[in-house]
Amino acid sequence: MTNMSKTNNARLPRAKGIDMATYYTPKECARKVKRIVLPPQNRQIVEEFITILGMKEKFVRHDVPIPNKVVMFGPPGTGKTLTAFYLAARLELPLILVRLDAIIHSHLGETASNIRKIFDYAKSSPCVLFLDEFDAVARTRENNDEVKEMARAVNTLLQCLDEFEGDSIFTAATNLEAELDPAIWRRFDTKMTYSLPDEERREEYISLLIGDFQHEEHVRLTASERLSGCSYADMEQIILKAKRKAIIEDLPLAASHINEACEEYRPQTIRYMS
Ligand SMILES: Nc1ncnc2c1ncn2[C@@H]1O[C@H](COP(=O)(O)OP(=O)(O)OP(=O)(O)O)[C@@H](O)[C@H]1O
Ligand SMILES: [Mg+2]
């Protein structure tokens, strides 16, 4: 590893020199994903992925490559980053979280070499490498202002993806799949789509969020209706706010707490009928 500038992020030394990444142990990852809700299709993709990694020899014998590149796309707050933590927890690997926009803005002119450094790290020590805001580099070439710089970065990324092997997993997330370079897109063996929670998923998540907190009988159903159109992240904030109100009043969680919390929080995506 080359010399890297020190930053004040206490976690960084554990990432052995990658100054644009945060390192999470498998245990830390497991703690973060206790309340993950995965719609059936994504759960199936994840389970199959993990199953395959658990029977590598068989795949080698059949000469069938093992999947190791996952792209996740969908709206904010729907569980893309959380899924990367979940994979790391399940595979008992550390998560190396990289913000690509940070690489580009702080190291203009060195984007390609930074990308290579990150992949070199993943080659040398097994991990789940997670590149957030992936569209920042993988945007289709013609959309870029710094055309040459970004074209070089995209080419490096293509090369790194092609050469990516060993025990690490590469994961990337984006809100803007339409802007990903098609050449990059097709290099992913596993693609996961994220969307806002439907009714069933909302009820499941609300139950997890309420947990064993004392609540009135119909609060789950009211909350599920009221939070229609919210992301999981917004739902979490609103339920927490509602719980705080219930605690202040020393009352069980009620529909009125949810309604008040919702009005105060003003989720952008909310679409409730009056
Ligand atoms: N599917 C989910 N199940 C449980 N909790 C979720 C889910 N999605 C989001 N959350 C909650 O919202 C928080 C933010 O989610 P996450 O960071 O995974 O969103 P994201 O899809 O990566 O969004 P962005 O596009 O903004 O990066 C999580 O830490 C978690 O508390
Ligand atoms: Mg994210």
Side-chain angles (χ1 to χ4, degrees):
M1 286 278 144
T2 49
N3 286 332
M4 310 241 175
S5 61
K6 283 216 165 82
T7 78
N8 55 10
N9 185 336
R11 289 176 174 281
L12 291 181
R14 294 155 72 196
K16 294 184 192 146
I18 296 182
D19 65 348
M20 46 231 150
T22 313
Y23 181 103
Y24 295 89
T25 64
K27 262 196 183 154
E28 286 171 315
C29 295
R31 229 173 290 137
K32 280 184 181 282
V33 298
K34 276 189 189 142
R35 289 193 295 231
I36 191 166
V37 174
L38 284 173
Q41 201 185 2
N42 282 352
R43 183 160 295 278
Q44 199 200 326
I45 292 172
V46 166
E47 292 304 327
E48 187 177 292
F49 192 85
I50 291 165
T51 304
I52 293 172
L53 291 177
M55 46 196 289
K56 276 187 182 171
E57 294 80 23
K58 205 165 176 181
F59 280 81
V60 172
R61 245 186 290 134
H62 288 284
D63 199 22
V64 173
I66 292 150
N68 62 0
K69 299 178 201 91
V70 184
V71 66
M72 302 175 279
F73 57 93
T78 51
K80 301 182 294 297
T81 302
L82 207 59
T83 303
F85 281 99
Y86 184 68
L87 280 172
R90 289 286 302 273
L91 296 167
E92 293 180 18
L93 289 172
L95 181 84
I96 307 293
L97 191 149
V98 183
R99 277 177 52 108
L100 268 183
D101 66 336
I103 294 177
I104 293 162
H105 290 303
S106 56
H107 298 268
L108 199 69
E110 289 179 27
T111 315
S113 101
N114 284 338
I115 291 171
R116 200 168 280 291
K117 261 178 230 164
I118 290 163
F119 276 86
D120 283 348
Y121 175 83
K123 207 180 276 179
S124 68
S125 68
C127 63
V128 172
L129 184 60
F130 177 54
L131 273 67
D132 213 349
E133 297 169 43
F134 188 55
D135 42 278
V137 162
R139 209 160 283 179
T140 42
R141 284 164 238 219
E142 48 280 12
N143 280 357
N144 286 302
D145 297 335
E146 307 95 357
V147 175
K148 276 189 188 157
E149 166 69 7
M150 294 313 285
R152 214 176 300 130
V154 170
N155 286 337
T156 302
L157 194 56
L158 290 172
Q159 249 173 34
C160 289
L161 288 172
D162 283 341
E163 293 163 7
F164 192 69
E165 55 177 26
D167 294 324
S168 288
I169 305 297
F170 177 70
T171 58
T174 176
N175 301 134
L176 310 159
E177 83 270 20
E179 292 193 25
L180 288 193
D181 189 305
I184 289 193
W185 188 245
R186 72 175 174 78
R187 276 165 169 86
F188 286 93
D189 47 58
T190 307
K191 288 160 184 155
M192 295 176 71
T193 313
Y194 288 75
S195 46
L196 298 177
D198 59 13
E199 196 181 332
E200 207 179 324
R201 242 53 57 192
R202 281 201 305 277
E203 283 175 20
E204 182 183 348
Y205 193 45
I206 289 165
S207 293
L208 288 170
L209 289 171
I210 295 180
D212 55 11
F213 198 92
Q214 258 208 330
H215 59 278
E216 285 186 358
E217 204 186 325
H218 299 298
V219 78
R220 277 171 227 257
L221 220 59
T222 320
S224 173
E225 277 168 22
R226 180 78 205 233
L227 301 181
S228 162
C230 288
S231 67
Y232 293 90
D234 284 342
M235 287 177 66
E236 182 182 35
Q237 291 305 317
I238 292 166
I239 302 280
L240 286 177
K241 209 180 240 307
K243 273 187 175 179
R244 283 184 206 114
K245 290 180 187 299
I247 293 170
I248 292 171
E249 292 174 14
D250 202 14
L251 287 172
L253 186 66
S256 58
H257 297 130
I258 305 278
N259 286 336
E260 273 174 47
C262 208
E263 257 147 49
E264 282 175 29
Y265 183 78
R266 296 181 159 273
Q268 280 186 332
T269 47
I270 194 133
R271 282 178 235 114
Y272 54 86
M273 309 293 171
S274 55

